[in-house]
Amino acid sequence: MADLQPLYAALGSTLSADPTTRMQAELEVKRLEKLPGYVPSALQIAVSEQDQSLRMAAAVAFKNKVRGGWFDQIPDADKEVVRQQMVAAIVQASQSIRAQFVTALHFMLNHDFPEKWPAFIDQVGQYLQHTADMNAVYGGLLAMQEVVKIFQYRGRKERGPLNAIVKSVFPYLLQIGTELVQHDHTEAAMMVKVIARTYFASIQSDLSKSHMDPTNLTGWCHFFSSIIAKVVPDAIYGANADADDKAAHPWWKAKKWAFNIFNTLFSRYGNSKSENFREDKKYKPFSQLFMANFVPTLLRSYLALTEQSIQTGAFVSPRVKYLMANFYSDALLNKATWAILKPYAQQLVEHFILPELSISEEDRELWEDDPTEYVHRKVDPMDDFKSPGAGCASLLTSLATNRNNATFAGIVQFIHQVMLAHAAAPTPATLVAKEGALRMLGLLANQCLSKKSPVHAQMEEFLVSFVFPEFASPVKYMRARALDTVAAFADVEYSQPQHALTAFHAAIAALGEGEDLPLRVEAALALKPMIHTPHVRNAMAPHIAAIMKSMLDLQNTIDLDVLSTVMEEFVEEFSAEVAPFAVELATQLGATFVRIMADAQESFEAGYDETNIQDMDFDAATDKTMAAMGVIKTMQTLVLSVHENQEIVLQLENAMLPSLIYVLDHEIIDLYPDVFELIDTCTFSLKAVSPTMWSMFERLHKIAQSEAADYVCEMGAALENYISYGKREFATTPQLQQAMVDMINLCLTNTDLGEADRVVGCGLMHNMLMYLRGTSSIDHLVPHFLDLAMHHIGTGAIKTTAFLIAAIEVGITALYYDPALTLRVLEEKGMTAAFFTAWIGNVGKMARVHDKKLGVITLCTVLSAVPAEHLPAVVVQGLPQLFGALVNYLSTLPKAEANRAEQEKFFTGIDEIPEEELERLNNADLDTAEAAGDDAEEVVEGDDEDGDGWEDEEEDLGLHHLAGQAARARADLGGDEWADDDEDWSDDEDLDEEFNLETPLDDVDPYVTFAATFTALQASSPAVYQQLTAGATAEHQNVVMQAIAKASENQAKAAAKAAAGSA
């Protein structure tokens, strides 16, 4: 672009106040950006133009084009020009323009470095060496940070260029940083922050040899320690700086990154007891060196900073407090660092943890001034997960859980002292301390209620004495904390039922419309666990309509997804009470949903800035989307709660329809899975497809052909229901058949989808063949279905058992649908041998009950429905193998049925695990831990003094027991003699049973079918019978006799049941 004037003019006009002029200018920029030379020209204007507004417009245009088209839309010659000028442009630019350039640089490096930009490091290096020009150094540091960031999450094999940078360039960064940290000015802080952040990015996923070199490590640790220890003079912050101003200052941001680095080195590469530790022998020497020579000093410096903050009130930023708490949490897991930390544990509880868990003055002001923001900050864990309070909460629970013998008694004694101190001489300060102490107590509820806990028997008295009085407190936040505490201790077995009812009535009172929003939310959350206390549940029942109304009012006041979970629980537990106003409730939920989503769209549009998408705040829209998701879940629970009343379900569908249409028509893809699940629930509950749901099928087909291809897995269950419960419409409507075939083709042929999606497509073919059997309505589709399935079987590229079996069972179901037609098609396409080879070779992998029933019934159908003279030669030759498959199915079916029943009991919670069994499992686990010796040290049993002691995690043991039973059940399903032992097969997992699967085969007895077929074949086709059983062993004959006996038994039971019914 030799002439810059057109671009100057177009960019200048984009700043016009006249919308028409601005729109025309934007279109002109779009036209110009397609011309060669556009990108270098935009960069030139952004660097050299005097008008700041025009420079920014050019910088944004440059960044957007680079971000959207660097890979394939910009001529190579233009790219080379930009690569030559980019680093210099960053150095010369003002701060606002520089931010645009740095973003563009990241995209360029991601595509070009190092292959197409080998000179980049040298280009940056010349500015890093200009130590007299701080602006040049700063620009060079920013450029270096970007090249390191592109490697921060890459695997070890891709980190060669980064390792070279760490070896050759990082020594210069250390030298620059060591000099800069001695200065106080803000410019030095900004550069130190960039250096620290660059180092942090380099250690995110791996440590190079240079990182682990003792000399290098010592230098860097000294540098980061000096950042942490640096005292920032008040004058640096500026006049009237408050805590937020200080936390936002570059020096505290630099400190944050220094703490982040030490925490990462400690938890990820040093402390083998941390849950984040990387198990890699490569890091073992580093771990030993770091833990022995650096961590003790680091831990003591953290403790000194904490003590200084406690004693003098010295400022520490909230993020640094969070990082210090995390460091302590990891340190207490290791025996050596726990020895250092242990003497300070009680001091940390009383002076570090309690203040951070207590309601602050800022919190109280927020409660009054912006209660909605208060609730989001305090109730939504994602809004609070990197706060000092979150870090201290984690530290407290880790102390009480992992070092309970050394800390638990002191913690609960301290909490009790806080309660007594406030009772004796109440002041605003003691009230705040009590609020924080109750929060601490709530976090330790599991430990307190353990049957081995020393305070287990005292909790009812404690709650009644110190918590219940706060239900009547004039201080609203104390009422909220009291409700939160009783909710945490919902499992307390009150000796007097009236105590539980007192808590319930307090929650109902706090839920009232006139109360403060945070208190109402806390009351709603407190009611949820109370449902499971029988006498409280009985007291709740008459109030369900009022409670649900209050919940909806709350949901319309604040978008909070946890409120939806509370409503779900009430709908599920009080289905009889909810039924009379279920339709009204669904209508209100629908109105709430549409309002939330409209607000979400408005929040997104209000914050949308196409020139700076990376810096946009999506939190408001995300919170609303999560809340809307919860509303849909509540709708689903509502349908399930009244599923026995079809009239109500039909009315619910109509009430919910606007919400479903809104999601699909507005293409809110985040909610697609929830909508599909709701459609599945409605059709499954009715066992029919209503006109309302048929109208949704058209939309599903439409979006499946466009942007929803990625969600085909989630759509699968709903689509199967359309076939299962709408078979009459599918049998008579070619348009419906074709729509379903379109979606099947998508699943089986779209190269962007995976094998899970292929399984869904096979399931749809399976359902069409199964449910439309006998109608001849899809005879024309059988060849296409076989082509789709056999294509994948024939390539040998299938990697999972699920897809392999699903593809084979398309052919098996086609045989069941019409054996003569399917055999003819297989013969015409030359697929017969390949299909039967795949089938017989994988019988052992067909472990589910449905697989075995389908196999037996289909084989019997083929043998009884197709005359011997019409059987393909390859099938006749393989009759002994088909008999072997039949015998295998029959012999393993009883065990599969038993295993399914056992799994269903455990996975649906039918059986409770006896307490004595839990105790036995607990002891067994502890014995195992002791037998493990050094591998089970420290945290579970530790040293004699600080072992796990009385900790009793009954719930976890129950889950372990269920998991163990499930694993054993799955193991029992496989391993028979017919299993395919192909050594190249990468997935040897047995398929999970589908407990809710319903098919036309449910009413077909495979034993009766086999007995009838076997007997008829023996009488009518002795030649086929003889060839079929040729080579049968005595074991095979025994299986046949048992199956025939089982058939007689089942027929007798059925006859007796029928006779009893008629009587």
Side-chain angles (χ1 to χ4, degrees), residues 626-886:
M626 292 297 294
M629 194 178 297
V631 172
I632 294 182
K633 291 291 186 185
T634 305
M635 291 178 177
Q636 181 182 352
T637 304
L638 188 59
V639 172
L640 290 172
S641 70
V642 297
H643 71 278
E644 294 180 353
N645 190 322
Q646 292 201 355
E647 182 179 348
I648 293 180
V649 174
L650 288 169
Q651 294 179 56
L652 290 179
E653 287 185 348
N654 290 328
M656 297 181 299
L657 182 62
S659 300
L660 304 183
I661 292 175
Y662 188 99
V663 172
L664 300 185
D665 286 0
H666 286 79
E667 300 180 358
I668 307 172
I669 60 175
D670 288 342
L671 297 180
Y672 280 179
D674 303 280
V675 166
F676 302 154
E677 189 173 357
L678 183 54
I679 293 172
D680 171 30
T681 300
C682 290
T683 50
F684 184 80
S685 297
L686 283 175
K687 298 294 188 291
V689 182
S690 66
T692 300
M693 287 298 110
W694 277 122
S695 71
M696 293 306 300
F697 179 77
E698 298 173 10
R699 284 181 163 84
L700 295 185
H701 176 238
K702 178 181 177 182
I703 63 174
Q705 302 304 302
S706 55
E707 76 287 345
D710 291 344
Y711 291 89
V712 70
C713 262
E714 288 83 354
M715 200 186 290
L719 294 178
E720 289 183 358
N721 284 356
Y722 276 109
I723 300 168
S724 305
Y725 306 126
K727 59 184 178 182
R728 181 179 59 190
E729 290 82 356
F730 269 99
T732 57
T733 313
Q735 293 87 345
L736 287 179
Q737 296 175 13
Q738 186 56 51
M740 192 61 71
V741 170
D742 290 341
M743 288 184 273
I744 290 170
N745 290 340
L746 171 72
C747 294
L748 271 298
T749 63
N750 189 310
T751 56
D752 293 330
L753 301 182
E755 294 202 351
D757 305 292
R758 309 282 189 237
V759 172
V760 170
C762 291
L764 297 177
M765 291 189 282
H766 176 279
N767 262 31
M768 289 188 76
L769 292 164
M770 184 71 66
Y771 281 93
L772 299 179
R773 180 176 186 257
T775 67
S776 301
S777 59
I778 58 168
D779 288 4
H780 62 290
L781 294 177
V782 171
H784 180 59
F785 287 174
L786 292 174
D787 279 337
L788 288 173
M790 289 304 298
H791 167 74
H792 289 283
I793 295 172
T795 62
I798 295 179
K799 291 181 169 51
T800 60
T801 299
F803 182 27
L804 176 67
I805 299 307
I808 293 172
E809 288 188 347
V810 170
I812 297 175
T813 314
L815 284 170
Y816 176 69
Y817 169 83
D818 188 327
L821 169 63
T822 301
L823 288 172
R824 185 173 72 250
V825 172
L826 288 172
E827 280 290 277
E828 291 172 354
K829 293 179 175 290
M831 296 177 178
T832 309
F835 168 70
F836 279 95
T837 298
W839 181 3
I840 302 305
N842 289 284
V843 167
K845 289 187 172 75
M846 299 176 185
R848 297 167 299 192
V849 171
H850 175 71
D851 300 331
K852 298 180 185 300
K853 286 186 68 175
L854 176 63
V856 171
I857 294 167
T858 298
L859 285 171
C860 290
T861 300
V862 171
L863 292 172
S864 60
V866 181
E869 60 272 17
H870 293 162
L871 288 173
V874 68
V875 174
V876 174
Q877 295 168 6
L879 284 174
Q881 286 74 30
L882 294 180
F883 180 70
L886 259 174

Side-chain angles (χ1 to χ4, degrees), residues 102-263:
V102 168
T103 300
L105 176 64
H106 184 84
F107 286 92
M108 295 166 61
L109 289 168
N110 205 34
H111 286 297
D112 290 1
F113 185 81
E115 291 83 3
K116 297 179 181 179
W117 203 347
F120 177 78
I121 300 300
D122 290 337
Q123 291 173 358
V124 175
Q126 63 178 327
Y127 293 105
L128 295 179
Q129 295 174 25
H130 291 173
T131 53
D133 184 352
M134 287 295 99
N135 194 56
V137 173
Y138 186 37
L141 290 174
L142 288 172
M144 186 58 62
Q145 176 182 255
E146 291 309 308
V147 77
V148 172
K149 282 169 63 178
I150 68 172
F151 291 99
Q152 64 179 331
Y153 297 115
R154 292 190 184 180
R156 188 174 296 172
K157 293 181 180 179
E158 301 178 84
R159 291 170 65 89
L162 174 61
N163 294 339
I165 291 171
V166 173
K167 183 177 181 179
S168 62
V169 180
F170 272 35
Y172 291 101
L173 302 187
L174 178 59
Q175 182 180 345
I176 294 169
T178 302
E179 168 63 24
L180 288 169
V181 79
Q182 300 176 42
H183 301 277
D184 293 336
H185 54 80
T186 299
E187 291 75 13
M190 293 171 67
M191 288 187 276
V192 167
K193 182 196 76 172
V194 172
I195 293 171
R197 192 173 183 182
T198 301
Y199 187 95
F200 177 77
S202 74
I203 63 171
Q204 278 291 82
S205 56
D206 191 33
L207 295 181
S208 67
K209 290 182 179 180
S210 296
H211 283 119
M212 295 186 286
D213 177 80
T215 302
N216 292 340
L217 182 64
T218 300
W220 280 105
C221 286
H222 178 75
F223 170 57
F224 296 130
S225 295
S226 67
I227 298 174
I228 289 173
K230 184 174 181 62
V231 178
V232 183
D234 287 339
I236 296 298
Y237 299 124
N240 303 317
D242 60 15
D244 290 339
D245 296 327
K246 292 180 179 181
H249 193 275
W251 273 124
W252 276 102
K253 290 187 176 181
K255 287 174 180 284
K256 176 192 74 174
W257 288 111
F259 278 99
N260 256 319
I261 288 163
F262 281 141
N263 283 23

Side-chain angles (χ1 to χ4, degrees), residues 539-585:
M540 278 185 186
H543 301 281
I544 292 304
I547 290 173
M548 295 304 294
K549 181 180 182 300
S550 296
M551 295 287 186
L552 281 168
D553 288 342
L554 267 181
Q555 191 71 281
N556 282 319
T557 304
I558 182 170
D559 301 319
L560 205 62
D561 60 309
V562 292
L563 290 177
S564 297
T565 66
V566 178
M567 287 194 286
E568 279 185 68
E569 187 87 6
F570 273 95
V571 168
E572 184 174 349
E573 292 294 328
F574 294 97
S575 57
E577 289 81 3
V578 167
F581 61 95
V583 178
E584 178 187 359
L585 179 57

Side-chain angles (χ1 to χ4, degrees), residues 341-351 406-407 409-411 414:
L341 186 62
K342 181 179 176 183
Y344 298 89
Q346 191 64 26
Q347 183 182 359
L348 288 173
V349 169
E350 297 180 13
H351 301 292
T407 65
I411 294 171
F414 169 66

Side-chain angles (χ1 to χ4, degrees), residues 524-547:
L525 299 179
L527 284 171
K528 182 180 177 182
M530 294 181 186
I531 294 174
H532 305 290
T533 302
H535 42 278
V536 174
R537 189 185 188 286
N538 294 336
M540 278 185 186
H543 301 281
I544 292 304
I547 290 173

